[in-house]
Amino acid sequence: MCGCLMLAVQPAAADAATGSPKVVKKDKAADSEKAPDSPELAAARKRLKDAQAAMDKFQKEKKARSKVKPKWYKDADKAFAEAKKHNLPVWCVYSDPPTCGVCQKFEKEIINSSPVKNAKGAYIGYISNTPLPEYKCTAKPFGYLFTPDKQPMIPLPYMSTKPAKGYAERLQEYSAKLIEKQEKQVTRELDYSKKLVAALAAGEPAPEEEPDEDEAEEMQQHQPRPGYGPMPPRRPMPPQYDDEEEDSDTL
């Protein structure tokens, strides 16, 4: 008798015999079962996104600001609008050359000098033949530097011992202070937003927000005095200059 061997195909169910390793397929729905962010964490993530966008915008504007050429306006609103656009100070000047010989000298030797006229990223100018109402300045020529929000920064009156180069340096100095203040604000917000998201994601309480030192100082300076009403804006004393030769580089 001849014997024969037959190979039988085992059913697929045999692969699932007890004790055999199971192949677990990743369920896409499993990811969707992850608990959603709490309202506080979702708000913190949104805040971080906005803070990063503000930082990116600041860096872009900072680069563009350094190329902005000085512009002079006879309309104060237009001057401050342009300053706000670039976050530059406004140099408000009271000058009336037809009635004032010193004003003629000031505009020729300072305003139209090469160092001041070509001081990119330094200021936006507003020039008027009427006194600056904020300080009732009657002496001419007279100048005062303001922030784009019309807050006083420093007087820049005409001084015969102050060469044009010195004016340009002063304008650049206060422009840099505005940029530094803005950079502190966006950096502080970005750093705190990162800490806030990290803390809430880990189930920890929100960290305390550090106060704005610049704002605190300004509020302290403008605290109302009992019985006297609000304090007027602080007017810094004009800087003292040593006798120097006049800048001959004028246009």
Side-chain angles (χ1 to χ4, degrees), residues 165-181:
K165 184 179 178 181
Y167 274 87
E169 291 173 350
R170 201 74 166 157
L171 292 163
Q172 292 284 7
E173 174 189 348
Y174 279 88
S175 175
K177 286 186 177 182
L178 276 181
I179 298 171
E180 181 183 1
K181 181 178 180 179

Side-chain angles (χ1 to χ4, degrees), residues 72 91 93 106-107 109-113 116-117 123 127:
W72 283 91
W91 187 13
V93 173
F106 174 53
E107 293 194 17
E109 296 185 354
I110 303 299
I111 294 179
N112 290 310
S113 68
V116 172
K117 199 173 183 179
Y123 70 97
I127 190 165

Side-chain angles (χ1 to χ4, degrees), residues 7 9 31 39 47 58 71 101 105 117 154 164 191 212 243:
L7 297 176
V9 179
D31 292 338
R47 180 172 178 173
F58 168 78
K71 298 179 183 179
K105 185 178 178 68
K117 199 173 183 179
I154 190 77
D191 290 345
D212 186 331
D243 289 339

Side-chain angles (χ1 to χ4, degrees), residues 82-152:
E82 184 71 10
K84 188 91 171 177
K85 177 181 176 182
H86 301 290
N87 191 38
L88 289 173
V90 179
W91 187 13
C92 296
V93 173
Y94 168 36
S95 176
D96 191 16
T99 63
C100 172
V102 181
C103 294
Q104 296 174 15
K105 185 178 178 68
F106 174 53
E107 293 194 17
K108 178 182 178 182
E109 296 185 354
I110 303 299
I111 294 179
N112 290 310
S113 68
S114 180
V116 172
K117 199 173 183 179
N118 297 320
K120 294 182 180 179
Y123 70 97
I124 299 296
Y126 163 60
I127 190 165
S128 173
N129 61 355
T130 57
L132 301 177
E134 291 84 354
Y135 294 96
K136 298 181 173 60
C137 300
T138 56
K140 55 186 177 183
F142 187 85
Y144 211 104
L145 209 61
F146 291 83
T147 70
D149 296 321
K150 301 183 179 181
Q151 296 300 313

Side-chain angles (χ1 to χ4, degrees), residues 191-202:
D191 290 345
Y192 176 76
S193 297
K194 290 178 179 179
K195 294 178 182 178
L196 180 62
V197 169
L200 295 178

